[in-house]
Amino acid sequence: MTDTTTTAAAAVSVRGVGKRFPGVVANHDVTLEVRPGTVHALVGENGAGKSTLMKILYGVQKPDEGEILVGGETVHFSSPSDAIKHGIGMVFQHFQLADNLTVLENVVLGAEKLHGIGDAARTEIRRISDAYGFGLDPDELVEDLGVGERQRVEILKVLYRGAKIIILDEPTAVLVPQEVDALFENLRELKSQGNTLLFISHKLDEVRAIADDITVLRRGTTVTSVKPADVTQHQLAELMVGEELPSPSTAESTVTDREVLEVRDLQVDDAQGRTVLSDINLTIHAGEVLGIAGVEGNGQTELVEAVVGMVRPTRGVVELSDQDVTSWGTRQRRESGVGYIPEDRHRHGLLLDAPLWENRILGHQTRKPSVKGGWVDKAGARIDAQRIVHEYDVRTPGIDTTARALSGGNQQKFIVGREMSGDPKLLIASHPTRGVDVGAQAAIWDHIREARRRGLAVLLISADLDELIGLSDSLKVILRGRIVADYDPQTVTPQQLGAAMTGAKTAGEEA
Amino acid sequence: MKTLQRAGLALAAPVLALVVAGIITSLVLVAAGDDPAAFWETMLAWPENRSLVNIINEASVLYLSGLAAAIGFRMNLFNIGVEGQYRVATFVAAYFAAQAFLPGYLNTVATILVAMLAGAAWAGIAALLRVTRGVSEVISTIMLNAIAVSLVAYLLRKVGSREGQTIVTDTVPQSGWIPGISLFPDSVTDMYGLVFLAVLAGIGFSVLLNRTRFGFDLRATGHSESAAVASGVDVKRMVIYSMLLSGAVAGLIGMPNLFGVSHNYGSTIQTGIGFAGIAVALLGRNHPLGIAAGALIFAYLSEQANPLGILAGISPEIIAVTQGVVVLCVVIAYEVVRRYRNKLEQRAVAEALEAPGPSKEVTA
Amino acid sequence: MTVSAPESSAALVKPTAARSYRIWIYLAVLVIALSTTRIFTGADDITSSGTLRAAVIAAIPIALAGLGGLWSERAGVVNIGLEGMMILGTLGAGYFTYHYGVWVGLLGAAVFGAVGGALHALATVTFGVDHIVSGVAINIIALGVASFLAEALFTGLPGGGPTQSPSLDRPPTISVPGLSGWTESLEDKGWFLVSDLAALLNVVVSQLSLFTLVALVLIFGTGWLLWRTPFGLRLRSCGESPSAAETLGVNVYRYKFVAVTMSGALAGMGGAFLALVASSGYQNGQTGGRGYIGLAAMIFGNWRPTGLLTGSLIFGYTDAARLRSGGESVHALLLVLSVALLAIAVWQLIRGARLAAVLAAVVGGLGLTWYLRTDTIPGDFTQMTPYVMTLLVLALASQQLRMPAADGQRYRRGEAG
């Protein structure tokens, strides 16, 4: 056996691990020591290779080189069950839950041997839930749970399997500040009982608040490991990106008094007849960015889709430049100058298997330069796709490349470029910089600010409170399908926003 | 160079599939105690002139059927009902033509339009059920195929007359017939005069798909329905239009034979063309030229298999095995090639990223 | 703590229990309606034990195909190739029964069907081919293989030919001695409701094929296996969220493969039932689209065993009604259907679903007019009854159904997280 240098065997040691995907090196020479019974944070910007490393540690993917030791013993994981056997559990950022199954079924899946799938398992789940104050009912369907509860189901899944090493992939990304505090309580409790936590994040204040050790990942490799006490947040940020962090602050106001979008008394019901959006009133002027803050799943998606025309409101009016467009379809609204950066670019923004120049036409099927009359203008579309690639710095070998082959950031830049084409009057930007690296993020912010200066009205939905505060001219908070608060971005703090987003402010004492 | 590689990849799949299907067919023959050598000798012999004409005729009909299926497939709409639409349309057309409401070739043109309308109407039922009630078009078109068989049989009994073993509609007036084109003086069969209908439909399909806005919307919906919706495509409307169009093309399938050979609709109408068309469309990857190749291959296999019983003592049914295996192999092969191509492309993108960018490098 | 509606959760769990409870009420209403119609129209065959027995015999192959669909779709693979697997089953049943008897025949049918299922699994799970495309290809292959092999296997056998097997033994049947005669005589009385129920009982206690029992065991066994065991939980998780299953160490590919192969085996057994119980040997084209109807029955049954059995019985019943004094029986059924549709129209109107109400009213009204203006229904129309029923039922039921969340989607390993 190899001789380990540390006195007590590290809970997890990663030595020289590398992983290549076709043409891309996701990880190379990653080295990491996690002490048992600590919270170890792994920080790095989007695309730095954190997720790949996590998937390797959890056996979802196999490394091409290097070795991994768990408790001093070399391991080779070929599937998550190998990782689970070695006491590793993972809480995914995108919850891995089956909506149509109960909490119980989701938890015992794959671990049926432990306590069966019946009453013994039910008792065990109640026990864990009570021990950590999770407040979960084993027989509830997961689809009826909120975001925080779902995350607790994920953690419960890990605990149920008796994991001692718990990996949490950006667990705070979907939570509001108050929920983050509750999560951190849970994590401290877990640590005090001897568990080891590997915490992935790019939110540096949170990392400094919870971690015992911090390892920085940049461009696929580990840069350094530090103690939180030894570095400032600023130093950490520079380690992470290798240079100064951009910030989304907006300079002087460009808001005019010309109304571009007006929404009155809007109500949307879902297919089951439940009201998911009600009493929405908002106005956006030319040159104004209106930010919508809210916990995901509180009606933002429906609001966007109602404005774009993808869902029919049950009640209310949508006006574009004083014209009632409530009965218009998406196409007609787009024609009259609405650009749309969708939340999920793979589902709503791109034809993944079509070349970029065809993607240029998407959403502009009735407008020049890509279309003339009923005919597709291939030459025009190609020239304009080329322009977008150039102006928005989309890294691609050419416009005949399929959208799927590009990285997420470059896909997003292409979408932004496309939606800014033809001088839109209104831009609906849903999480415009999600999953994008820092460079592309700064570029996208610049483009939005530039268009705003020229009189573009923007409806901005984001989970990134810094982005919202930095870019917006005014802010609204959405909760349970209603607008519950208005703020001035110049004066509001993330804590105030967080309180309003959870209803702690308006609905009195709740969590 | 790059286009050459692309073309090579595109051809690799069907060639591979044909080879594998050949091997499997031989194995089945051996297992059944037949002689594969005799099979291949018959199959690969150069067709007689008469057979060549038959292959062209059969291929033109299969091509129309393949196009009909492909229109739906291109937007992930599975019109399995070409068979029923073709049957209903051909019956209605034969009945209409026999009434001779219009003189000469005007009657022919009007009949072709009526056939398209009838095919579209029958397909429209499935489209409506899908759009208003959310019924999967796969199930509904299959049910409509079965209903079409009974319905047409009933109507034929009402309006037709008995002729030997079969019941037929009245004969189409001779002034509207489209005479065959004699390709070889020694062949007893002629090429359908309406072969050009298949060519026209193919060109129309190609132009519609690649050059028009409608075609773009159709392909966009096939690539990603959610993205199409976000781009302003009214998917329900697209489902109805493409289903109607698919049914209309299905209505054309029976026309070359109606005006060239049979001149009426009889209870011995050729069956299975609709299903074969689906196979042909899959074989040709729903591409106008690919479907043509697929139709020719299927027609060749069927025609060459006819003398198998006499010449090699093998049941011609074996060719259905070959055809089925070709289709399954080809869809698998296309998928494998698609994945391989994605990998190649991702590599190309990565290489482009390695190279210094056109403007300042921000960070990785 | 977070936004949710806890009070609604209890109500959401219950419908499954309420649903199976409601089925019995529906059945009772149906029996009363049929009995009333029998008295009113004099179409005695619509509830005779002969018709009901034929209905069960017609329903079981559909149910087995539907059960195959259930296995496959619960694991997330749409299986339109059921028809082809069923065809393979009829061939397997014909060949193995002739040489080795009915039980080996049943096994042979299952194996033949399973081969078709494995092929579908290979294409869809391993290679990621579109499920519908692969299913269509399998149907083409199965049709070709069956007609080629039938000619190779059955030509020259006594009573066999290129398109059919020799006449085969039937699987054994069982009767309960005392009850069998008693129910028969009660049925002959023609009393309202009593005789109808007696006929129903007679089907169960007299000449019940052992294959029917096997099928029922498979259907209810599936319900237990998929909903009460770890194996079933894992299989269903592959259809609901394969990536979640993968992150918990479930080998998704393997479960999908097993499920689709099993799906083929069940469809194959449906084929065996068709060849051995519903007729007396293999014939080309014997399945006649029953694989597809099985799929429709499964959708109607909301991807649940009891539901698909109910659906199959409805289809089986219409099929049987057309076979036994078809014109008269189907004519009487037309009345039942029309009245039912009109009732649905009223109910939908009350619920506020105007479009559905109008649709039901129009079809129901047309049906009623047709009923009143004729005395019998032409043979061609009785032929299409099961298919029209399928369309109608799906048109009325489709929107209230919930299929597995990841049904029909391609899944690639390593994409979780």
Side-chain angles (χ1 to χ4, degrees):
Chain A
M1 281 268 104
T2 44
D3 193 49
T4 41
T5 45
T6 41
T7 43
V12 179
S13 305
V14 176
R15 293 178 185 170
V17 160
K19 174 76 187 174
R20 282 180 300 273
F21 293 111
V24 193
V25 180
N27 277 166
H28 62 96
D29 197 21
V30 170
T31 300
L32 183 69
E33 293 273 319
V34 182
R35 293 180 293 136
T38 61
V39 176
H40 192 112
L42 195 64
V43 301
E45 61 154 319
N46 286 310
K50 293 172 303 197
S51 298
T52 306
L53 179 58
M54 288 313 104
K55 285 185 183 179
I56 290 172
L57 281 177
Y58 191 58
V60 178
Q61 276 160 357
K62 279 187 206 172
D64 296 322
E65 59 203 22
E67 64 172 348
I68 297 168
L69 292 86
V70 174
E73 176 198 348
T74 308
V75 291
H76 299 281
F77 297 156
S78 56
S79 82
S81 37
D82 293 339
I84 294 166
K85 272 185 213 130
H86 282 85
I88 296 178
M90 176 137 172
V91 175
F92 288 89
Q93 180 185 2
H94 301 290
F95 301 143
Q96 295 298 329
L97 297 169
D99 281 1
N100 200 21
L101 301 183
T102 62
V103 170
L104 174 95
E105 287 176 316
N106 270 289
V107 170
V108 301
L109 177 63
E112 303 90 348
K113 288 209 179 78
L114 294 177
H115 307 281
I117 61 171
D119 283 339
R122 193 168 279 118
T123 312
E124 176 67 9
I125 289 170
R126 285 225 176 80
R127 188 189 67 74
I128 299 173
S129 174
D130 291 348
Y132 293 97
F134 285 173
L136 292 168
D137 173 1
D139 294 311
E140 197 163 353
L141 276 183
V142 164
E143 73 177 351
D144 298 327
L145 300 182
V147 177
E149 285 169 305
R150 283 169 187 240
Q151 188 170 59
R152 274 171 265 143
V153 176
E154 285 280 21
I155 297 175
L156 207 155
K157 265 160 68 173
V158 170
L159 296 174
Y160 186 84
R161 285 160 176 73
K164 304 303 272 178
I165 301 163
I166 303 169
I167 305 169
L168 298 116
D169 189 3
E170 307 221 6
T172 59
V174 291
L175 303 180
V176 294
Q178 285 74 4
E179 284 177 321
V180 171
D181 292 342
L183 173 71
F184 281 6
E185 282 302 309
N186 289 329
L187 297 188
R188 289 198 185 93
E189 176 70 26
L190 285 167
K191 185 174 92 168
S192 73
Q193 299 196 359
N195 294 296
T196 306
L197 302 163
L198 194 52
F199 181 94
I200 298 148
S201 183
H202 61 241
K203 295 186 180 168
L204 302 179
D205 51 336
E206 291 173 3
V207 166
R208 281 164 49 83
I210 187 90
D212 299 306
D213 298 290
I214 301 172
T215 296
V216 181
L217 209 61
R218 192 203 312 160
R219 306 184 76 170
T221 190
T222 37
V223 181
T224 182
S225 286
V226 293
K227 300 268 178 206
D230 300 344
V231 286
T232 65
Q233 192 159 325
H234 196 74
Q235 286 169 321
L236 204 51
E238 286 193 8
L239 282 172
M240 207 165 96
V241 293
E243 63 174 68
E244 193 73 21
L245 268 177
S247 93
S249 68
T250 319
E252 78 291 359
S253 168
T254 56
V255 182
T256 63
D257 56 6
R258 186 156 50 85
E259 288 180 5
V260 175
L261 174 73
E262 186 170 8
V263 172
R264 283 196 308 269
D265 300 325
L266 191 72
Q267 178 178 334
V268 173
D269 296 346
D270 69 6
Q272 282 77 44
R274 287 180 294 209
T275 300
V276 285
L277 202 62
S278 57
D279 300 326
I280 301 290
N281 289 288
L282 51 87
T283 307
I284 309 179
H285 302 89
E288 179 184 5
V289 177
L290 173 68
I292 304 281
V295 178
E296 272 178 61
N298 272 287
Q300 294 95 320
T301 309
E302 288 78 7
L303 172 61
V304 165
E305 292 186 347
V307 175
V308 182
M310 291 160 69
V311 298
R312 291 261 158 265
T314 324
R315 234 155 47 87
V317 178
V318 179
E319 279 181 7
L320 276 178
S321 305
D322 296 325
Q323 184 165 24
D324 187 345
V325 300
T326 317
S327 62
W328 291 13
T330 305
R331 172 151 297 166
Q332 213 177 346
R333 294 189 199 193
R334 276 179 167 274
E335 281 167 355
S336 67
V338 176
Y340 172 38
I341 301 171
E343 172 179 356
D344 184 337
R345 59 178 163 264
H346 286 180
R347 268 174 56 75
H348 291 118
L350 293 168
L351 305 176
L352 287 170
D353 289 315
L356 283 183
W357 70 266
E358 286 199 334
N359 272 290
R360 167 62 186 85
I361 305 174
L362 192 70
H364 296 252
Q365 286 104 313
T366 51
R367 280 175 284 168
K368 287 182 176 177
S370 44
V371 168
K372 269 186 199 154
W375 302 91
V376 169
D377 181 353
K378 192 171 167 181
R382 292 183 67 92
I383 291 169
D384 207 59
Q386 200 72 59
R387 173 190 66 81
I388 293 172
V389 165
H390 186 73
E391 282 181 16
Y392 287 78
D393 191 24
V394 180
R395 300 296 174 81
T396 169
I399 54 172
D400 287 309
T401 304
T402 56
R404 186 187 294 282
L406 299 192
S407 70
N410 284 304
Q411 289 174 344
Q412 189 73 4
K413 282 190 278 187
F414 188 83
I415 292 175
V416 173
R418 179 184 70 200
E419 297 306 324
M420 293 284 198
S421 307
D423 286 319
K425 288 187 290 190
L426 171 69
L427 178 71
I428 296 150
S430 219
H431 307 276
T433 61
R434 174 178 281 180
V436 165
D437 63 53
V438 176
Q441 188 177 40
I444 290 171
W445 284 336
D446 281 342
H447 283 296
I448 291 177
R449 269 192 292 258
E450 171 59 30
R452 162 179 168 271
R453 202 168 302 135
R454 281 177 316 195
L456 178 74
V458 180
L459 177 63
L460 175 69
I461 282 98
S462 180
D464 181 342
L465 297 188
D466 293 332
E467 176 173 84
L468 276 175
I469 294 172
L471 275 184
S472 304
D473 295 297
S474 52
L475 273 173
K476 287 183 189 296
V477 177
I478 192 166
L479 174 65
R480 288 170 217 178
R482 290 165 185 274
I483 303 277
V484 292
D486 288 273
Y487 287 105
D488 179 351
Q490 304 287 343
T491 55
V492 73
T493 64
Q495 279 64 32
Q496 285 174 311
L497 275 182
M501 282 158 71
T502 45
K505 183 171 167 245
T506 48
E509 289 305 308
E510 208 182 337
Chain B
M1 169 63 199
K2 246 201 120 190
T3 43
L4 208 67
Q5 194 185 22
R6 267 178 182 274
L9 275 177
L11 282 180
V15 169
L16 198 75
L18 278 173
V19 170
V20 172
I23 293 169
I24 291 179
T25 307
S26 303
L27 291 177
V28 172
L29 285 171
V30 171
D34 287 319
D35 178 13
F39 170 78
W40 288 111
E41 205 177 306
T42 312
M43 290 305 294
L44 296 177
W46 181 255
E48 292 169 31
N49 288 343
R50 178 175 48 90
S51 298
L52 279 176
V53 172
N54 286 344
I55 289 171
I56 293 175
N57 285 347
E58 177 77 4
S60 68
V61 169
L62 280 176
Y63 185 60
L64 286 170
S65 177
L67 283 182
I71 292 169
F73 284 0
R74 282 310 281 260
M75 65 167 285
N76 273 346
L77 191 68
F78 291 94
N79 179 9
I80 314 286
V82 174
E83 184 77 21
Q85 290 142 22
Y86 142 74
R87 207 179 262 253
V88 169
T90 310
F91 170 78
V92 172
Y95 178 76
F96 175 84
Q99 307 307 307
F101 292 121
L102 292 164
Y105 289 121
L106 274 180
N107 191 28
T108 315
V109 173
T111 304
I112 290 174
L113 290 177
V114 165
M116 293 175 79
L117 279 177
W122 197 247
I125 300 173
L128 275 182
L129 282 172
R130 157 86 188 259
V131 169
T132 59
R133 307 299 307 162
V135 178
S136 154
E137 77 282 0
V138 177
I139 303 274
S140 65
T141 50
I142 288 169
M143 296 299 128
L144 283 167
N145 282 342
I147 295 171
V149 172
S150 305
L151 185 66
V152 170
Y154 170 76
L155 292 174
L156 187 59
R157 208 161 289 145
K158 282 239 150 175
V159 304
S161 52
R162 190 163 283 281
E163 193 176 272
Q165 288 297 316
T166 64
I167 304 172
V168 296
T169 58
D170 296 341
T171 303
V172 176
Q174 198 163 358
S175 61
W177 293 8
I178 308 282
I181 300 162
S182 176
L183 286 186
F184 305 101
D186 63 335
S187 166
V188 289
T189 50
D190 288 342
M191 189 172 79
Y192 288 143
L194 282 179
V195 151
F196 75 89
L197 210 56
V199 178
L200 271 184
I203 295 171
F205 177 67
S206 176
V207 169
L208 180 85
L209 209 59
N210 297 311
R211 294 272 177 259
T212 67
R213 221 168 71 188
F214 178 83
F216 182 87
D217 284 354
L218 188 98
R219 285 183 295 129
T221 314
H223 274 300
S224 163
E225 185 173 322
S226 49
V229 170
S231 84
V233 174
D234 183 338
V235 170
K236 283 188 174 180
R237 195 182 299 167
M238 286 303 292
V239 166
I240 291 181
Y241 284 165
S242 52
M243 203 72 185
L244 291 180
L245 202 58
S246 181
V249 175
L252 293 176
I253 298 171
M255 295 304 103
N257 187 50
L258 178 66
F259 287 105
V261 181
S262 71
H263 310 303
N264 62 26
Y265 181 100
S267 47
T268 52
I269 183 175
Q270 188 182 359
T271 58
I273 297 177
F275 292 113
I278 295 170
V280 164
L282 294 177
L283 201 58
R285 230 185 159 192
N286 306 316
H287 186 282
L289 287 178
I291 303 169
L296 281 169
I297 291 171
F298 260 51
Y300 175 87
L301 289 174
S302 307
E303 181 64 24
Q304 292 288 84
N306 278 335
L308 269 181
I310 306 160
L311 295 181
I314 298 169
S315 160
E317 300 281 357
I318 184 67
I319 219 62
V321 179
T322 315
Q323 290 174 335
V325 174
V326 169
V327 172
L328 189 64
C329 288
V330 92
V331 293
I332 291 177
Y334 280 139
E335 191 57 34
V336 172
V337 167
R338 193 182 69 85
R339 287 184 190 176
Y340 178 66
R341 188 180 282 160
N342 279 348
K343 265 189 195 167
L344 282 187
E345 206 163 38
Q346 274 167 354
R347 197 163 295 151
V349 170
E351 278 160 15
L353 276 176
E354 294 289 312
S359 63
K360 71 170 176 94
E361 176 100 0
V362 192
T363 57
Chain C
M1 223 169 254
T2 31
V3 191
S4 78
E7 69 278 358
S8 67
S9 61
L12 274 165
V13 184
K14 265 182 196 148
T16 41
R19 205 184 159 81
S20 57
Y21 178 64
R22 235 187 299 162
I23 281 176
W24 294 107
I25 297 179
Y26 289 152
L27 276 180
V29 170
L30 189 70
V31 171
I32 293 170
L34 286 177
S35 184
T36 315
T37 311
R38 174 177 65 83
I39 301 285
F40 178 68
T41 62
D44 285 340
D45 245 345
I46 65 171
T47 62
S48 72
S49 58
T51 301
L52 295 178
R53 187 166 295 114
V56 170
I57 288 173
I60 295 295
I62 294 171
L64 284 173
L67 195 64
L70 178 91
W71 272 75
S72 179
E73 300 213 359
R74 277 289 170 186
V77 178
V78 170
N79 191 354
I80 193 88
L82 286 170
E83 176 74 9
M85 297 166 201
M86 212 169 179
I87 293 175
L88 291 175
T90 55
L91 180 76
Y95 177 73
F96 288 101
T97 305
Y98 179 75
H99 292 284
Y100 308 104
V102 288
W103 295 106
V104 177
L106 183 65
L107 197 69
V111 171
F112 269 41
V115 169
L119 216 54
H120 189 48
L122 183 77
T124 55
V125 180
T126 312
F127 288 106
V129 172
D130 183 280
H131 299 179
I132 304 277
V133 166
S134 165
V136 168
I138 283 177
N139 288 341
I140 298 173
I141 294 179
L143 197 62
V145 167
S147 42
F148 175 71
L149 286 185
E151 189 167 339
L153 297 175
F154 300 132
T155 313
L157 297 179
T163 63
Q164 62 180 37
S165 72
S167 179
L168 301 170
D169 294 339
R170 283 186 184 236
T173 60
I174 46 169
S175 298
V176 182
L179 282 174
S180 168
W182 176 67
T183 50
E184 234 163 82
S185 60
L186 206 57
E187 184 194 339
D188 288 340
K189 300 275 197 286
W191 292 337
F192 174 71
L193 212 52
V194 176
S195 292
D196 305 300
L197 288 173
L200 202 58
L201 188 61
N202 182 261
V203 173
V204 182
V205 297
S206 174
Q207 301 165 48
L208 185 68
S209 172
L210 282 182
F211 271 24
T212 305
L213 278 184
V214 170
L216 290 175
V217 167
L218 286 170
I219 292 167
F220 290 104
T222 294
W224 175 80
L225 196 65
L226 293 194
W227 275 271
R228 293 276 177 271
T229 68
F231 169 83
L233 175 60
R234 289 176 174 213
L235 192 145
R236 284 185 295 125
S237 73
C238 296
E240 294 290 346
S241 175
S243 65
E246 184 184 316
T247 60
L248 295 176
V250 174
N251 188 334
V252 175
Y253 281 18
R254 191 197 295 158
Y255 276 88
K256 282 184 184 251
F257 221 101
V258 167
V260 179
T261 307
M262 183 67 190
S263 167
L266 288 165
M269 287 196 242
F273 197 95
L274 215 50
L276 301 178
V277 182
S279 51
S280 55
Y282 167 86
Q283 270 177 333
N284 271 5
Q286 197 164 25
T287 55
R290 283 183 180 77
Y292 302 121
I293 296 186
L295 209 58
M298 176 205 68
I299 296 171
F300 169 78
N302 204 13
W303 287 265
R304 288 195 167 260
T306 42
L308 79 86
L309 183 60
T310 313
S312 307
L313 284 169
I314 294 176
F315 295 130
Y317 180 75
T318 48
D319 205 19
R322 82 172 168 89
L323 285 173
R324 297 182 55 94
S325 39
E328 190 194 19
S329 291
V330 175
H331 190 243
L333 286 184
L334 183 62
L335 176 66
V336 180
L337 187 70
S338 306
V339 172
L341 276 171
L342 292 175
I344 286 173
V346 173
W347 180 60
Q348 294 281 24
L349 199 66
I350 293 168
R351 283 179 68 223
R354 226 174 303 157
L355 186 70
V358 170
L359 194 77
V362 168
V363 178
L366 284 176
L368 198 62
T369 321
W370 189 8
Y371 171 81
L372 293 172
R373 298 192 55 179
T374 51
D375 293 323
T376 179
I377 290 193
D380 291 312
F381 284 91
T382 62
Q383 290 250 318
M384 63 172 93
T385 315
Y387 309 104
V388 175
M389 274 295 293
T390 307
L391 279 186
L392 273 180
V393 163
L394 289 183
L396 291 172
S398 264
Q399 287 173 331
Q400 290 152 28
L401 304 174
R402 171 159 195 172
M403 68 170 177
D407 198 9
Q409 291 171 12
R410 299 179 200 200
Y411 178 71
R412 301 262 335 247
R413 189 178 281 163
E415 287 180 349

